[in-house]
Amino acid sequence: QVQLVESGGGLVQAGGSLRLSCAASGSIRSINAMGWYRQAPGKQRELVADITNGGYTNYADSVKGRFTISRDNAKNTVYLQMNSLKPEDTAVYYCNAKVAATGTIYDYLYWGQGTQVTVSS
C-alpha cells in the first residue's frame, strides 16, 4: 500500500508565498513522475506542474515564472514553491505520483487527499 500526504496549504494574501510538500510512503519500489494538480470550486481538476524522476519539469502556462516544482528522491517527496500568489490560484491542491509498489513491475497512479490554498485579495 502506498500513501501520499500533502502539507503546507493555508490562507495567504495576494502576492504572498506558500510551499506545499507531498511525501510518499509505504511499499515503494520506485517512483516515476510526480506532480501537482488543483481544483477550484465549479471547475475541473487541472495540471499545475509535474516532474520526472530525472528532474524534467512541466508547468501550466498560468503558473510559469511563479511556481517551482522540485523533488527529493531520497525522501520520496515532491514540493511546490508558490510565489506571487493570485486570488485565482485559490483551489484544493492535490499531488500525485506514478509508483511501482514492491513486488510489482507496473506503475500505478496514486493521489493525495488534497490541501486547501486560499489567496485573499
Side-chain angles (χ1 to χ4, degrees):
Q1 190 72 1
V2 175
Q3 299 84 36
L4 301 182
V5 177
E6 299 121 334
S7 60
L11 173 64
V12 65
Q13 288 188 334
S17 298
L18 284 175
R19 188 191 194 211
L20 306 183
S21 300
C22 173
S25 63
S27 302
I28 297 171
R29 180 173 65 81
S30 64
I31 301 179
N32 195 346
M34 304 183 81
W36 289 94
Y37 282 69
R38 66 187 181 186
Q39 187 167 18
K43 295 188 177 181
Q44 289 188 330
R45 191 173 296 190
E46 62 177 5
L47 172 70
V48 177
D50 56 24
I51 183 169
T52 68
N53 56 6
Y56 290 99
T57 58
N58 175 51
Y59 294 91
D61 288 343
S62 59
V63 306
K64 284 181 181 177
R66 300 187 298 122
F67 291 10
T68 302
I69 189 170
S70 61
R71 63 189 284 174
D72 184 332
N73 291 333
K75 295 181 178 179
N76 291 335
T77 299
V78 63
Y79 305 96
L80 185 68
Q81 178 65 44
M82 304 185 294
N83 298 329
S84 302
L85 282 160
K86 304 175 181 180
E88 51 263 44
D89 294 317
T90 295
V92 178
Y93 284 69
Y94 299 90
C95 70
N96 70 7
K98 292 182 180 178
V99 179
T102 303
T104 69
I105 59 172
Y106 299 107
D107 289 347
Y108 183 82
L109 186 64
Y110 292 87
W111 289 88
Q113 80 286 356
T115 186
Q116 177 70 45
V117 171
T118 302
V119 184
S120 63
S121 57

